[in-house]
Amino acid sequence: MSVVQAVRRGRAKRKTRLGANGIAREVALHISCFIAGGIVSRGATLGELSPFGASLVAAVPFAYMPAGMLGAALSYLFSAPSSTFRYIAVVVAIGAIRWVLGEVRKISGSRFYAPVVAFIPVFATGIALTFSAKSEMTEAVECVIEALIAAAGAYFMNRTALLFESKRALSGFTQQELSCLSMTGCILLLSMSGVMLGIVSVGRVLAVLLILLFARYGLIKGGSIAGIATGAVFALSDNKLLFLAAEYSLSGLIGGLLAPMGKAAVVFAALICGTMFAFASPDRSMVLSVAVECGVASGIFLLIPKDAGNFLSSVFSDDAARTSEEAIRRNLTTRLEHCSKALDNVSSCVNAVSDRLARLYEPNANWIYERAADFTCKGCGLRAYCWERERGMTLDDFHRLTDTLRERGFIKEGDIEDRFLKRCCKSAELAHSVNRSYREYLSMEAARRRITGVRSVVAGQFAGLSDILHDLSEEFMYIEGYDEACADRVIEALSAAGLTVADCSCRTSAVGGMTVELEIAVGKKTVLSKSELNREVCRACGRYFESPVLSFEGDRARAVLCELPLFDLEIGSAQHVCDDGELCGDCLNYFVKGTGSTVAMISDGMGSGGRAAVDANMAVSIMTKLCKAGLSYDCSLAVVNSSLMIKSEEESLATLDMLDFNCFTGQAALMKAGACTTFIKKNSRMLQKEMPSLPLGILNEARFNKEDVTLTKDDWIVMVSDGALVGSPDWIEKLIMSWREGSAEQLAAHIVDEAKKRRRDEHDDDITAIAMKVVENG
């Protein structure tokens, strides 16, 4: 139970931080929106147009809109643009439109909602002021352009806000999502370009720093993208800054080319390009400003730790490498699937041939009597009469002995028909031969049953291997690719920490983020610290991972780290031992699987006491080891079932109740083999999942009865053994529905205590309960 206790302590600590973290997070988001509103409102394009504050108010989530409105309005008021009160009116109008239409999901849920909401007020106020002042047509065109810029900014900012809400890693974004994020970043940099520290622009310093980072870790692709994007945005802000487009673009390109030579080479490229193009500016004072800005950005860049930008490498990985990986993946999955089908065909063929041969050569009653006749009648002179002329009558006389043989196990001379005895002179010897043949027949039947059992197990192993290969094929189908550069960084980091890494795999999946699998050579003096292992892998990959799952086989340790998902489970458990004995016939376990899932299971052995405890613990132990090793639940169940059937001559039965909760999607898979009801509280409604199925250890083939349900924050799942179901289960439903403030541990203990009180039949039983609450990762 050490694993259970460790997980329990971790969940308890996380829960104590959850409330405070949630409040702090909300406050931080409101403050961030306020500051962002103040910053982007200062960004100007085409001279004095400042529409980005309106874009932000239209783009941020509705809950944080007031903070963004306040920041944008104050910035417009104190930054004194040419149309201060017009922009404040635009911000107020956008807030009013969103307040009115926010509840209309068909409208507010559209991706074009934010751009339209930003476009209409900016365009309407601009056109109204233009025609009231009898301005020229060029100013009307500028109003249209400003409204379009506001709409575009709102679109990019809104998509960026949704990306942050998804809590995905940067390396998991698509090219379109990365483009939205880049444009939002450029808008922020443009807005900060007016913040001057002497002759240095804070926005331009950050732009150069961004180019240096992207060139160093994203090579040519990253440097070129950062250089072109920032150069274009700054060039559009003012005619005097047109030279920045060429400077930033070339800095990114050459920096990416020189990136393999180290940071110094990237800095050298930025300084040379900055100085060279600064002389192309019509304002000679910009020469010194650009040189100082490049120097400041380069100094900051050199102070950044080496591993801080590793996450950018996976974002700009080579598409050709990805194509090669895709081809390898498809080839591998195809071969695994073909091998799976071939092994399945072998299993079917073995069973078919065996059944055919059994029907052809199966011994029967005729075999017994013909065998007896060979022993007794072979040298008899009356053989021609009995077995040739009157063969049918002789066999009928023998068949009348069959019932006696089956009832008593042998026959006597007196059991033979009188009319047969009148013509047979070897009746005593014949009875002895029949008994002898019958004993041989029974021995052959027993051997045939044993062979059939062995053949069934062997054929089942072929089928099991087929299932394993099929599951591996399906698993590879969901893998998007392998990040070899990330794996190399992990190996390098762990080697520096004194560990010997035999193998490392960093794979990305469409449904589970990144998964890092490590094989580490361990010796007597090797100490594996989960916290240190997690810290080094997070630094090397530039992502956040859950605590590693460790398993040991000989001198090798296997560690699996899964990227931190959206949800988590707060888990608590409690048990009662029948008659307060020492051994519990129920066994439970829960653990974090290395694929972003949390697994919980309960096994109830037949009866109570030591024998039930052995069966239940064996089922849970084997199932846990196989699941952690990466086998599917169906394959693992087949192995557990076979193990229970062959562990001893005595009958061994055990139920298995399992839950697999995907922390990325909230999908909960319920799997039952003879287990009782599971209770689910979903959106304040109670669900009872009764899924009839057979326990393990009865039949050669065992199957889970499965059902899926999607859960979200504050939903509950309660798993119990049959000892907790005393009478009607309504009392458990009421208890779960009324549970508000208590922890999962307290709920499980309360269910077990209440079940003990409700037992009035003087018959005690083992009782187990696991309570789980869905929470968000803070």
Side-chain angles (χ1 to χ4, degrees), residues 207-221:
V208 175
L209 179 61
L210 182 70
I211 294 170
L212 293 172
L213 284 170
F214 275 50
R216 174 66 181 87
Y217 297 100
L219 303 180
I220 297 176
K221 182 185 292 186

Side-chain angles (χ1 to χ4, degrees), residues 132 167 186 326 533 639:
S132 64
K167 297 183 180 180
C186 289
E326 177 68 14
L533 197 62
V639 175

Side-chain angles (χ1 to χ4, degrees), residues 259-279:
M261 300 172 62
K263 281 187 172 183
V266 179
V267 169
F268 175 77
L271 291 174
I272 293 298
C273 292
T275 305
M276 180 175 62
F277 282 99
F279 284 100

Side-chain angles (χ1 to χ4, degrees), residues 732-749:
I732 299 181
E733 282 194 2
K734 293 178 181 177
L735 179 59
I736 299 172
M737 288 296 295
S738 62
W739 199 259
R740 293 290 184 269
E741 302 297 332
S743 65
E745 186 83 16
Q746 292 170 333
L747 175 58

Side-chain angles (χ1 to χ4, degrees), residues 1 575 584-589 601-605 613 616-618 620-621 768:
M1 299 290 287
Q575 278 189 317
C584 182
D586 296 345
C587 184
L588 67 94
N589 192 15
M601 64 182 77
I602 295 177
S603 180
D604 185 357
N617 278 271
M618 181 177 176
V620 169
S621 176
T768 299

Side-chain angles (χ1 to χ4, degrees), residues 138-184:
T138 54
E139 295 185 7
V141 174
E142 283 186 358
C143 290
V144 176
I145 294 174
E146 182 185 23
L148 291 174
I149 292 174
Y155 177 82
F156 294 131
M157 293 180 187
N158 179 254
R159 304 310 295 176
T160 301
L162 295 177
L163 291 177
F164 279 110
E165 285 185 346
S166 69
K167 297 183 180 180
R168 286 186 290 152
L170 184 63
S171 58
F173 293 167
T174 64
Q175 293 297 323
Q176 184 180 10
E177 292 169 341
L178 285 172
S179 300
C180 294
L181 186 62
S182 300
M183 292 305 300
T184 302

Side-chain angles (χ1 to χ4, degrees), residues 160-476:
T160 301
L162 295 177
L163 291 177
F164 279 110
E165 285 185 346
S166 69
K167 297 183 180 180
R168 286 186 290 152
L170 184 63
S171 58
F173 293 167
T174 64
Q175 293 297 323
Q176 184 180 10
E177 292 169 341
L178 285 172
S179 300
C180 294
L181 186 62
S182 300
M183 292 305 300
T184 302
C186 289
I187 292 172
L188 288 173
L189 292 178
L190 176 64
S191 302
M192 298 178 68
S193 64
V195 180
M196 303 294 294
L197 298 177
I199 61 173
V200 176
S201 167
V202 174
R204 293 199 293 268
V205 169
L206 293 176
V208 175
L209 179 61
L210 182 70
I211 294 170
L212 293 172
L213 284 170
F214 275 50
R216 174 66 181 87
Y217 297 100
L219 303 180
I220 297 176
K221 182 185 292 186
S224 299
I225 290 176
I228 293 171
T230 53
V233 170
F234 278 92
L236 287 174
S237 63
D238 195 332
N239 291 335
K240 296 179 180 180
L241 300 178
L242 285 173
F243 72 95
L244 290 180
E247 176 197 337
Y248 289 169
S249 300
L250 191 60
S251 296
L253 177 62
I254 297 179
L257 286 170
L258 300 179
M261 300 172 62
K263 281 187 172 183
V266 179
V267 169
F268 175 77
L271 291 174
I272 293 298
C273 292
T275 305
M276 180 175 62
F277 282 99
F279 284 100
S281 172
D283 187 356
R284 292 300 178 185
S285 62
M286 290 296 298
V287 177
L288 181 60
S289 296
V290 169
V292 174
E293 288 165 1
C294 289
V296 172
S298 299
I300 298 173
F301 173 69
L302 292 173
L303 293 175
I304 294 176
K306 176 183 176 182
D307 298 331
N310 284 340
F311 67 95
L312 291 173
S313 298
S314 59
V315 176
F316 297 104
S317 59
D318 190 8
D319 288 336
R322 291 184 178 178
T323 304
S324 176
E325 292 170 0
E326 177 68 14
I328 294 173
R329 181 178 65 84
R330 289 181 179 177
N331 180 262
L332 181 60
T333 53
T334 302
R335 293 185 64 180
L336 285 173
E337 191 64 27
H338 286 172
C339 290
S340 171
K341 292 179 180 178
L343 284 173
D344 192 40
N345 290 335
V346 169
S347 175
S348 302
C349 182
V350 168
N351 285 325
V353 171
S354 299
D355 292 340
R356 179 63 176 170
L357 290 174
R359 286 195 297 269
L360 289 175
Y361 301 107
E362 181 180 7
N364 49 33
N366 285 337
W367 181 89
I368 297 173
Y369 303 127
E370 290 177 357
R371 181 88 169 160
D374 286 341
F375 287 132
T376 306
C377 307
K378 189 173 184 180
C380 181
L382 296 177
R383 177 180 177 86
Y385 176 79
C386 296
W387 291 101
E388 295 178 10
R389 182 178 174 184
E390 300 293 340
R391 179 181 177 84
M393 184 182 298
T394 302
L395 285 176
D396 289 341
D397 291 336
F398 274 119
H399 279 296
R400 294 189 183 95
L401 301 173
T402 302
D403 293 338
T404 305
L405 278 174
R406 289 176 177 171
E407 293 175 3
R408 201 163 58 197
F410 62 92
I411 63 169
K412 300 177 181 179
E413 185 180 358
D415 295 326
I416 303 176
E417 293 284 339
D418 291 338
R419 62 178 181 178
F420 186 84
L421 292 175
K422 290 179 180 179
R423 65 174 183 267
C424 181
C425 59
K426 296 182 178 182
S427 55
E429 186 179 348
L430 182 61
H432 175 73
S433 297
V434 169
N435 292 333
R436 176 183 171 184
S437 299
Y438 184 65
R439 287 192 297 270
E440 291 180 3
Y441 168 78
L442 293 178
S443 298
M444 292 175 65
E445 277 293 297
R448 187 178 64 85
R449 285 194 296 270
R450 287 194 296 270
I451 293 172
T452 300
V454 172
R455 185 178 65 245
S456 176
V457 172
V458 172
Q461 296 306 313
F462 280 120
L465 287 173
S466 171
D467 291 339
I468 292 173
L469 293 178
H470 176 71
D471 293 335
L472 287 174
S473 174
E474 285 194 337
E475 181 180 346
F476 282 118

